[in-house]
Amino acid sequence: DGGITQSPKYLFRKEGQNVTLSCEQNLNHDAMYWYRQDPGQGLRLIYYSQIVNDFQKGDIAEGYSVSREKKESFPLTVTSAQKNPTAFYLCASSSAGGTQITQYFGPGTRLTVL
Amino acid sequence: QQPVQSPQAVILREGEDAVINCSSSKALYSVHWYRQKHGEAPVFLMILLKGGEQKGHDKISASFNEKKQQSSLYLTASQLSYSGTYFCGTESGQTSYDKVIFGPGTSLSVIP
């Protein structure tokens, strides 16, 4: 079955530690995205990538880093510079180009900083 | 700029109708609608392109008023399964692709 997988589902980390969230898709989509969701708030874009080896900052990129070495993978690293990292993180993908671009979301990773 | 959604929250009884609005101050290329159940990923409902089109499936439909930069989501004869948070996402610009900016969401609760 085609889809997007994120791991782990729940993640705990100590303050000051970097942590990497995994996102893999087998939909053959060119574009991938990372969003952060806080309680009662919408989805805020962290980073997005339209093609392999290229990515752009979203609205809240500070304290995060990404890489796009393979089409199917778009890992997100939450660094110690991110002051308030506890949140629900969602990865999405879409086929770039065209006139109707649907984003397909993964199940999410809930990160808690202790 | 983040689109504005109204209302923030709504409670319905089964069978009642609801309208959720989404508006932007920027010229829009498209509007996307998603529903998210608690703790789960958002699920795509529909996308509307500029041109004032209306779309729908089953008892959920939406319209897009390009001149007013507004979209409305219509839920008719609501069912318990409609409960969740509804997000609109707006795409600006003249190209066929730009990043989607999501609104804060509208919480919809359907009670028996």
Side-chain angles (χ1 to χ4, degrees):
Chain A
D1 288 335
I4 302 176
T5 57
Q6 289 186 244
S7 61
K9 190 173 173 73
Y10 298 96
L11 188 58
F12 298 88
R13 87 154 208 220
K14 293 182 180 179
E15 262 188 68
Q17 288 181 337
N18 291 356
V19 62
T20 297
L21 281 58
S22 167
C23 177
E24 305 276 332
Q25 54 98 0
N26 60 4
L27 299 168
N28 200 33
H29 284 167
D30 288 309
M32 297 186 74
Y33 317 79
W34 273 106
Y35 293 92
R36 170 183 171 137
Q37 188 174 35
D38 294 284
Q41 296 193 32
L43 305 167
R44 292 187 290 169
L45 184 64
I46 304 172
Y47 269 98
Y48 65 107
S49 167
Q50 295 189 44
I51 197 168
V52 175
N53 292 322
D54 187 48
F55 48 82
Q56 289 79 39
K57 292 182 179 180
D59 301 316
I60 54 166
E62 186 175 349
Y64 300 97
S65 65
V66 293
S67 63
R68 187 85 188 278
E69 297 176 1
K70 297 187 294 183
K71 186 175 184 178
E72 58 271 20
S73 178
F74 192 40
L76 173 75
T77 297
V78 184
T79 75
S80 55
Q82 169 50 236
K83 294 180 181 178
N84 186 20
T86 294
F88 188 47
Y89 291 87
L90 286 160
C91 177
S93 71
S94 68
S95 55
T99 57
Q100 292 193 2
I101 302 167
T102 301
Q103 291 192 24
Y104 295 89
F105 285 85
T109 292
R110 191 167 297 279
L111 174 65
T112 302
V113 174
L114 304 172
Chain B
Q1 190 171 357
Q2 187 181 45
V4 175
Q5 286 187 239
S6 64
Q8 276 189 317
V10 59
I11 300 175
L12 300 173
R13 291 200 178 275
E14 265 187 295
E16 291 183 337
D17 302 339
V19 180
I20 299 172
N21 299 304
C22 174
S23 63
S24 173
S25 58
K26 298 179 71 174
L28 299 176
Y29 179 82
S30 69
V31 179
H32 307 225
W33 285 98
Y34 288 81
R35 176 173 61 210
Q36 183 181 31
K37 299 216 180 251
H38 183 70
E40 298 180 8
V43 173
F44 172 77
L45 293 176
M46 64 190 77
I47 180 172
L48 301 100
L49 303 182
K50 67 178 183 180
E53 65 173 4
Q54 185 153 355
K55 273 193 172 182
H57 53 83
D58 199 11
K59 295 174 182 173
I60 301 176
S61 62
S63 63
F64 179 20
N65 187 321
E66 183 183 345
K67 289 182 180 178
K68 293 186 178 180
Q69 310 305 334
Q70 290 177 352
S71 178
S72 294
L73 186 71
Y74 306 95
L75 300 102
T76 58
S78 59
Q79 306 168 16
L80 295 176
S81 61
Y82 286 5
S83 294
T85 301
Y86 289 78
F87 293 99
C88 70
T90 55
E91 192 178 356
S92 303
Q94 298 302 311
T95 59
S96 63
Y97 173 74
D98 198 352
K99 60 182 182 180
V100 176
I101 308 295
F102 287 91
T106 294
S107 173
L108 181 83
S109 300
V110 181
I111 58 176

